[in-house]
Amino acid sequence: MKLNPPLLALSTGAFAIGVSEFSPMGLLPLIASDLGVSIPTSGLLISAYAIGVMLGAPLMTLTTSRMRRRTLLIGLSAIFTLGNLLAALAPNYAMLLVARLVTSLNHGAFFGVGAVVAASLVPLGRGASAVAAMFTGLTVATVVGVPLATWAGEHLGWREPFWAITALGLITMVALRLTLPDRPAPADGGALAELKVLSRAPVLVALTLTVLGASAMFTVYTYIVPILQVETGASIGLVTTLLMVYGLGLTAGNWVGGRAADRSVDRTLIVTLVGLSLVLIALALLMPFIVPTSVLVFLWGVASFAIVPPLQVRVIAAAGDAPNLASAVNIGAFNLGNAVGAALGGLVIAAGMGYPAVPAAGAVMSALALVAVLLAARERGGEAAACG
């Protein structure tokens, strides 16, 4: 895809959100020590953000359905910027918790509305690639932004990354104002129209697929550090390197998934979910061996994020003329999958099944998503035949 300034502005926002979402995971010990709380207590900052995303996605989308798209996206970026500024200035843990909740409110709506806007910026048939271009900012954040934020926190203090993210928020606002077309709100939009869309079976199926696909990813990702340290015997330095390799896989998968979904959403999902299931099974069997594990971590990243653009495009297509709420709720569904996957992996470990059972559990979730895709495709095929 040729250089597209509006897509670049949206991707910048996605990058900032990605760094803001994931960097606190590497800063938790510093935050806990400085604010005088335990690490488990500081870990609630992560949970609060995820809850805020799930609640904020429908709330922000419904209450802003009549706003012009550029104004809305700039406003959401302003909320994000304010939240990170409050985090940088937070004098205590309670204020930091509030700041994280404020920051999270923009997340689902920005990605949801932004994905709809991104698809409208390119010719028909290139929507998935446009969504992938926007989400590239999120995947690049895992490769570059989060490690830099962790490094800055270690050397300069945990507040400095939040100051830097605040600056990124301001840059996003300026970039959106200068490049994004001033599109009106959908003519047939409104809260009632958006809510009705959520009752459509194809939309509910697409949201379910997102939960299953995300849970397959986060069942393993949540526990990847102890898996690599205990089962693979990787050092801290190697673990960091492999996490960057995983981030590169996410970036590659996002690009591949977007390009492939422009040709066929169903085929892309089927091939990717088959691949994800096989990679996770292989990881369960080969995790004691460093070389195959390194290769599998990259392939796991590719398969994990190759499903994101087609799932987002599927939700938008299924929602028809009121896509904004469904698109935003799909981001919330991804975060719900995060919670489900983390819980599933934890249950497997707590049951004494061992770390190799964790990717096996992820493979089961991926297989369930595959079955759902196949059933949905067969149903649509049957409906098409009946209409013919």
Side-chain angles (χ1 to χ4, degrees):
M1 184 175 293
K2 296 179 181 179
L3 181 63
N4 188 315
L7 283 181
L8 185 59
L10 289 169
S11 184
T12 301
F15 175 82
I17 292 173
V19 177
S20 181
E21 179 180 13
F22 294 118
S23 59
M25 297 177 185
L27 302 173
L28 289 184
L30 297 171
I31 293 172
S33 175
D34 185 51
L35 298 182
V37 297
S38 66
I39 288 181
T41 298
S42 65
L44 293 177
L45 296 169
I46 309 299
S47 302
Y49 190 94
I51 293 171
V53 172
M54 288 187 283
L55 295 178
L59 175 65
M60 298 300 292
T61 305
L62 289 174
T63 57
T64 59
S65 60
R66 295 298 185 183
M67 291 181 66
R68 299 183 74 85
R69 302 295 89 178
R70 184 175 69 188
T71 302
L72 172 55
L73 288 168
I74 293 174
L76 292 169
S77 299
I79 293 172
F80 167 83
T81 304
L82 174 63
N84 283 286
L85 176 61
L86 292 175
L89 295 171
N92 51 51
Y93 173 78
M95 187 63 194
L96 182 57
L97 189 65
V98 171
R100 292 301 290 167
L101 281 170
V102 171
T103 305
S104 69
L105 292 177
N106 91 99
H107 186 122
F110 185 91
F111 277 110
V113 175
V116 176
V117 172
S120 74
L121 296 171
V122 296
L124 191 64
R126 299 296 304 278
S129 290
V131 172
M134 176 185 173
F135 275 79
T136 296
L138 181 61
T139 61
V140 172
T142 66
V143 182
V144 179
V146 174
L148 277 177
T150 303
W151 179 89
E154 290 286 347
H155 291 83
L156 303 173
W158 66 267
R159 298 178 189 275
E160 300 309 314
F162 287 108
W163 283 113
I165 297 167
T166 300
L168 279 174
L170 293 172
I171 292 171
T172 299
M173 293 168 65
V174 173
L176 291 172
R177 178 63 181 82
L178 294 177
T179 65
L180 206 63
D182 190 17
R183 301 273 174 83
D188 299 325
L192 185 59
E194 295 282 355
L195 282 170
K196 285 182 177 179
V197 161
L198 294 182
S199 66
R200 296 179 184 174
V203 173
L204 294 175
V205 169
L207 293 174
T208 302
L209 286 173
T210 296
V211 174
L212 291 173
S215 65
M217 170 184 174
F218 284 102
T219 297
V220 185
Y221 185 65
T222 306
Y223 305 97
I224 188 60
V225 172
I227 285 174
L228 292 174
Q229 289 178 330
V230 175
E231 296 295 328
T232 311
S235 64
I236 294 296
L238 183 56
V239 168
T240 302
T241 300
L242 288 177
L243 289 177
M244 294 182 69
V245 167
Y246 179 70
L248 290 172
L250 294 180
T251 304
N254 180 60
W255 182 82
V256 170
R259 293 292 296 270
D262 280 336
R263 299 182 180 90
S264 172
V265 170
D266 280 343
R267 189 181 305 117
T268 301
L269 288 173
I270 291 170
V271 171
T272 301
L273 289 169
V274 168
L276 180 59
S277 301
L278 293 176
V279 166
L280 289 175
I281 291 171
L283 183 60
L285 296 173
L286 299 174
M287 63 174 58
F289 309 102
I290 187 62
V291 173
T293 295
S294 301
V295 175
L296 289 169
V297 163
F298 176 77
L299 295 176
W300 167 45
V302 173
S304 291
F305 227 80
I307 64 174
V308 172
L311 285 174
Q312 197 71 22
V313 168
R314 164 168 277 186
V315 168
I316 293 172
D321 56 0
N324 294 285
L325 178 60
S327 182
V329 170
N330 195 51
I331 303 300
F334 188 83
N335 280 267
L336 177 58
N338 181 344
V340 171
L344 176 60
L347 286 173
V348 168
I349 295 170
M353 299 181 186
Y355 284 123
V358 174
V364 171
M365 300 304 290
S366 179
L368 289 175
L370 175 62
V371 171
V373 171
L374 292 172
L375 290 175
R378 187 173 70 176
E379 183 175 343
R380 284 197 303 278
E383 291 175 356
C387 292

